[in-house]
Amino acid sequence: MTRTALTPVAGTPVTKTTAMRRAVHYQWRHLAALRSTWILLGSIAALSLLAGASAATGVKTGEAPTAWSTVTAIQLDAVSLQLPLAALLLLPLATGPIATELSRGTARTTWLTLADRPTAFNAKLLLGAALGALTALGGTLLTAISTTAALAIGERDQPAWNQALPGILGYVLFMTCWPVIATSAAALVRNRVTAALLLVLWPLLGERLAGILLRLVPGFDSVTDWLPFAAGRAAMAAGSDTQSETDRAMTEALVGSSLSAGTGATVLIAFTATMALAGTKAYLARNAT
């Protein structure tokens, strides 16, 4: 019996785009397999519906809620709380996977499965940004539907949705940047709890304390306007000029920055990019121990 020699067939090279798509899919499968992922996303959906239903509270029959009150409902009161409630709920999804990989040594599996370390980390950033953006857009849609229904049932007029659009865009931008910042912070400190505490305490307290200290230094008064999360709140506060002068002054105090919405968005994007670069460098230098 004559044997036929087998000719080796060269594998088809995988493009960077294909490698990244596979890496994002790999990361999503891990998140989607966790029950906590769906519990957190379901909680955000429920809160969005509740916020929309409550938008008609205090509005008289035949009148409409202000554009800013509508934005506030969509953002789940982001400016008053200093952070969107949805962002806080997304923290475990943004910080958990990478911190767990590095601390438990499972990062080796990820690195062997995917093309390389940069691809693995960039996939986490892309998935986080997409998840944040889709969460904001989905929450906005649910709040809008709930608001429209509540106002119609109560025979109240609909708000000026076009005036609410700038605030909605600022919210979507913040929610897109937030998981990137959180994932990068987790890579830098390598600890889930520490990263979460930093991302909660710095926007809520750290920037306020830093602002107080900076105002004591001559010539540094305006630096507080450029702190990243204050700038992020300035981006989300787009459209608050529809308020009365008294309410507007209160909103500006809560924002903590006098930057315009556009400038605030630029500062937030720049900070996010800087965190992503620092996180990438730290991730590439880590050993999976």
Side-chain angles (χ1 to χ4, degrees), residues 14-68:
V14 177
T15 64
K16 291 184 178 181
T17 301
T18 300
M20 182 59 67
R21 178 176 54 80
R22 291 176 179 175
V24 171
H25 179 67
Y26 174 85
Q27 301 292 351
W28 168 243
R29 285 183 62 188
H30 277 262
L31 276 182
L34 298 175
R35 184 180 299 176
S36 59
T37 299
W38 301 106
I39 291 175
L40 291 171
L41 293 178
S43 298
I44 294 172
L47 288 170
S48 298
L49 288 171
L50 181 61
S54 63
T57 303
V59 180
K60 298 179 181 180
T61 302
E63 294 183 356
T66 64
W68 179 242

Side-chain angles (χ1 to χ4, degrees), residues 113-287:
T113 303
L114 304 182
D116 48 40
R117 292 194 190 189
T119 300
F121 189 71
N122 289 333
K124 295 179 190 295
L125 297 182
L126 285 174
L127 177 60
L131 186 61
L134 290 174
T135 298
L137 290 170
T140 297
L141 179 60
L142 290 175
T143 304
I145 292 173
S146 182
T147 299
T148 301
L151 292 173
I153 293 172
E155 298 182 349
R156 296 169 176 85
D157 294 339
Q158 296 296 320
W161 290 103
N162 61 318
Q163 294 181 8
L165 184 59
I168 294 172
L169 293 176
Y171 174 57
V172 173
L173 172 65
F174 186 94
M175 289 295 291
T176 303
C177 292
W178 174 255
V180 176
I181 296 170
T183 300
S184 300
L188 288 167
V189 302
R190 202 177 179 177
N191 184 282
R192 183 178 188 172
V193 176
T194 303
L197 284 174
L198 286 173
L199 290 169
V200 172
L201 294 179
W202 176 254
L204 298 182
L205 298 175
E207 287 194 346
R208 297 293 181 178
L209 293 174
I212 293 172
L213 294 175
L214 286 170
R215 289 188 185 93
L216 298 177
V217 182
F220 281 77
D221 294 356
S222 61
V223 174
T224 57
D225 292 337
W226 299 84
L227 294 175
F229 292 104
R233 286 190 293 273
M236 288 190 288
S240 61
D241 53 357
T242 58
Q243 293 177 288
S244 65
E245 291 186 7
T246 302
D247 292 339
R248 173 64 177 168
M250 177 62 72
T251 299
E252 288 179 349
L254 291 170
V255 168
S257 173
S258 61
L259 297 179
S260 66
T263 304
T266 302
V267 172
L268 179 63
I269 292 171
F271 175 71
T272 303
T274 302
M275 285 292 294
L277 290 174
T280 301
K281 184 176 180 180
Y283 186 80
L284 298 183
R286 293 292 189 188
N287 293 319

